[in-house]
Amino acid sequence: MNKNKQIRAWLEMGVGRATALAVVLKCSRQFISKVSTLTKGISENQWNAISYGISIVESDEKSNQKKIEQIIIKAARLSHSPDIEIKNYALCELDRWVEALGVAA
């Protein structure tokens, strides 16, 4: 999946994720939004920084059950996307967050 598209889908699954990621990366929300909508790819260094920021934000989210439930609902909605890449990403994220919630499959 295109990394920019993956960032966009990740941002859409959570509430306040763009702001949280911007704080972690010490940049603006506008920059995060712009990166997620670019059609050209991002560099490996940028991807590594963003991935690290995403892991920090997700770590914070895992401590809040209400946020996990919201992410699961948004991932379920995105799993109906006409874009097959986003649909597959959302299904993987749905499984991951359901597991984080502690629900047995």
Side-chain angles (χ1 to χ4, degrees):
M1 169 185 258
N2 176 317
K3 292 175 183 169
N4 303 66
K5 194 183 283 189
Q6 187 173 343
I7 294 167
R8 170 58 59 199
W10 181 83
L11 290 171
E12 289 178 8
M13 277 190 231
V15 176
R17 280 183 159 184
T19 302
L21 187 56
V23 168
V24 169
L25 297 177
K26 296 181 174 116
C27 63
S28 68
R29 275 188 64 224
Q30 291 78 12
F31 174 77
I32 299 296
S33 180
K34 183 179 177 182
V35 167
S36 71
T37 58
L38 290 174
T39 54
K40 66 176 188 155
I42 59 176
S43 73
E44 225 20 70
N45 286 339
Q46 287 174 319
W47 175 246
N48 289 337
I50 290 170
S51 295
Y52 178 72
I54 286 172
S55 67
I56 291 172
V57 171
E58 287 181 347
S59 177
D60 290 343
E61 288 174 340
K62 286 180 181 174
S63 66
N64 185 331
Q65 184 170 350
K66 183 74 172 165
K67 279 195 176 198
I68 293 173
E69 291 168 357
Q70 290 172 341
I71 291 166
I72 289 171
I73 290 168
K74 288 189 177 198
R77 286 186 183 138
L78 281 175
S79 72
H80 297 286
S81 172
D83 184 319
I84 193 70
E85 289 179 325
I86 290 181
K87 180 179 183 172
N88 289 337
Y89 177 77
L91 289 170
C92 290
E93 288 294 296
L94 185 59
D95 288 343
R96 191 167 69 93
W97 283 98
V98 166
E99 186 177 313
L101 188 60
V103 177

